[in-house]
Every structure is written in structure tokens, then in C-alpha cells.
Amino acid sequence: MQWFSVSLYQQTLSVRGWKAARQPVVLTVTPSTNDVARHHMAQGVCTGTVVVAREQKAGRGRMERSWASSPGGLWFSLILRPQRSPEQVVLLPLTVAVAMASALTDATEGLPIGLKWPNDLMVKDKKIGGILMERDGHGLVVGVGVNVNQRSFASLLDQKAISVFQLTGTEVSLERLLAGSMNAIYRYCREWEDDGGQATLEAWRHHSVTLGREVRVSLPGRQVKGKAIDVDDGGSLLVDTAEGTVRITAGDVTLLRQA
Ligand code: BTN
């Protein structure tokens, strides 16, 4: 039996501009949907093409981490070719995070989703989803992973990860969640194109579980500790430390005690 109903997905999809989004590439198992999407992108497929898999055998996350991708989660990669300046493109990861928070809240009838800088989706200080953007000369792949219907996680992951089912006791349709995610990403990307990301930044601050918290940021070869105070216009995290305000453009944030 097919694990994913394209017609159910199409019933919920309302994206107007990305025609290719109507015909997702549906896979049962693959190493990584990002790799499949990059391959398709190099062949010149249209913007809005989306690849979704039931299971990934070599899913990857930010900072070269592996990403556990068993059946029950939503694992997809979307092809974009943003025609914007590099200064504006830096806000795209935050834009997609805001869109995914909105899609997940809608799909779960109100589960509040927090954002940990730059684009982790969080509930109760555990990770419910993440976003990995990869860019090459052909365009941009937006890889999204959401823990949806998994009943449990392997013991080490269990301390850090949580699924929608564990929180609500209810299964969510992966077809409807993918379509809702595409609708939200499309909507927030249009807004980002129109205003350069100002609404993104406001929405990100609103969802943030990082700002106001004591954080430790791991950077190549050093760590920064302090209080996360804001994101600047370029989406960088500003951390108030004993040595003054440090601007973080890339790094791994750990949330410390509640402020
Ligand atoms: C992170 O938080 O570290 C990002 C996780 C991104 C995981 C998704 S699942 C679909 C796509 N394919 C991958 O191999 N990774 C992304």
C-alpha cells in the first residue's frame, strides 16, 4: 500500500505560484531527501519541487550531525531559487522556521511551537523539528524534518527530541502537514520577498525561546556564554557576555537555565 496519498496532499495544498509543488516526488526510503532534491535541482527541475520520504537512512542535520528519520516523521526537501541579494537570503532560514511553526500549530490545533536560534522547532525545551538549508550553484534546498507520529525515540535522543504524538496523543496526517507546510512556506516567502524580512524578524522574535535566556554558543574553536538579547536585521544572534555584546552569525546554541 502507498504510504503517502498525493490526492490527499493536493486537497490541502493552496500554493498558487509553485506549480511543481502539486506533484511531489514521493519515496519510501532514501539516504537523504536533500540529496535527492539536489540531484533533481541540478537537472533543472522547477522551483517548488518537493521530495518527501517515509524514511531516511542517512538523514543529516546542521553542524554535520546525523538526523534520525524513522517512519512516522515528516522528512521533506523543497527546491527554491531565490532571486534576492545575499543580505536578504540570510533571513530565509528564519523565515522557513516561522512558517513551519505556524504550519505545525495549525495542524495540531494549537500546539505552541518555540524557535531556538536559528531555526530549531522546540516544545518544552525539546526538539520537535529542524531545518537544513543547502545551497549550490543550481539553487537552494530547504530540508525540513518534523517529529510527528513517532511513539518513542532511542534512549539518547529521548532526552532531546519529542514528537507531536507524544505531546498530544493524536496522529497527524503527513499529507495534510506537508501541504500545510508548503502553504505556509510559500506565504512567508512571499512576505519575505515583499518586505525584505522585517515581518519574519518580528514573527521570529514572537516565537523565540532563545531571547532572554542564558545560552552557550559553540563556535569553531571557542564557546560564548551569556544572555541572548536579540536578533539583528541580518538574523544574527546578539549575546550579552561579560566582554560585551557578541554577534553570532553561525553556531550551535544550547539553552541554559531559565532567565
Ligand atoms: C537540524 O536541525 O539539524 C536540521 C535537520 C534537518 C533534517 C531534514 S529531514 C529532511 C532533510 N533531509 C535531510 O537529510 N535533512 C533534512
Side-chain angles (χ1 to χ4, degrees):
M1 205 179 92
Q2 176 61 278
W3 72 274
F4 187 95
S5 159
V6 172
S7 66
L8 187 56
Y9 160 80
Q10 288 172 339
Q11 282 165 30
T12 307
L13 191 74
S14 63
V15 166
R16 293 262 170 271
W18 298 332
K19 287 220 167 56
R22 286 197 70 74
Q23 292 299 336
V25 178
V26 179
L27 305 169
T28 305
V29 60
T30 187
S32 160
T33 54
N34 267 31
D35 289 342
V36 179
R38 287 177 76 153
H39 174 77
H40 283 285
M41 194 164 70
Q43 310 285 309
V45 299
C46 296
T47 294
T49 299
V50 60
V51 179
V52 60
R54 178 171 179 266
E55 183 178 3
Q56 298 185 119
K57 292 291 189 194
R60 58 177 179 273
R62 290 177 63 244
M63 320 301 273
E64 295 174 18
R65 295 200 180 101
S66 67
W67 180 263
S69 317
S70 55
L74 179 64
W75 323 123
F76 73 92
S77 300
L78 165 67
I79 293 173
L80 296 179
R81 293 190 181 82
Q83 309 289 315
R84 285 291 180 273
S85 65
E87 297 80 57
Q88 201 175 333
V89 172
V90 290
L91 289 180
L92 198 53
L94 273 58
T95 304
V96 175
V98 168
M100 284 308 303
S102 157
L104 254 178
T105 299
D106 287 352
T108 53
E109 291 171 15
L111 193 63
I113 307 296
L115 297 179
K116 179 163 85 75
W117 189 89
N119 51 15
D120 288 350
L121 308 172
M122 308 289 291
V123 177
K124 297 184 177 171
D125 272 3
K126 289 188 172 184
K127 193 153 162 171
I128 199 161
I131 296 159
L132 174 69
M133 294 210 182
E134 294 180 323
R135 209 185 169 122
D136 63 24
H138 301 285
L140 185 78
V141 167
V142 181
V144 180
V146 184
N147 299 322
V148 185
N149 294 324
Q150 296 101 312
R151 301 314 199 243
S152 61
F153 295 97
S155 57
L156 274 179
L157 201 58
D158 193 49
Q159 293 151 25
K160 295 185 188 166
I162 199 157
S163 71
V164 172
F165 186 87
Q166 287 177 320
L167 287 158
T168 64
T170 308
E171 284 226 3
V172 169
S173 150
L174 296 180
E175 291 92 338
R176 291 193 196 285
L177 180 58
L178 178 60
S181 303
M182 294 288 287
N183 294 343
I185 294 172
Y186 182 74
R187 183 159 46 88
Y188 279 92
C189 280
R190 293 296 299 268
E191 195 174 73
W192 164 80
E193 282 173 346
D194 288 347
D195 77 355
Q198 289 318 300
T200 287
L201 286 172
E202 274 317 301
W204 191 92
R205 288 184 182 109
H206 173 75
H207 284 285
S208 164
V209 291
T210 313
L211 302 182
R213 289 281 295 264
E214 294 295 321
V215 295
R216 185 178 59 240
V217 189
S218 303
L219 304 167
R222 73 187 175 111
Q223 292 201 332
V224 168
K225 258 177 97 169
K227 185 175 179 175
I229 51 170
D230 202 0
V231 281
D232 70 11
D233 284 352
S236 298
L237 184 67
L238 303 177
V239 180
D240 208 5
T241 73
E243 288 80 41
T245 301
V246 179
R247 183 171 158 266
I248 311 285
T249 54
D252 193 33
V253 171
T254 303
L255 302 176
L256 304 177
R257 65 189 158 74
Q258 288 278 4

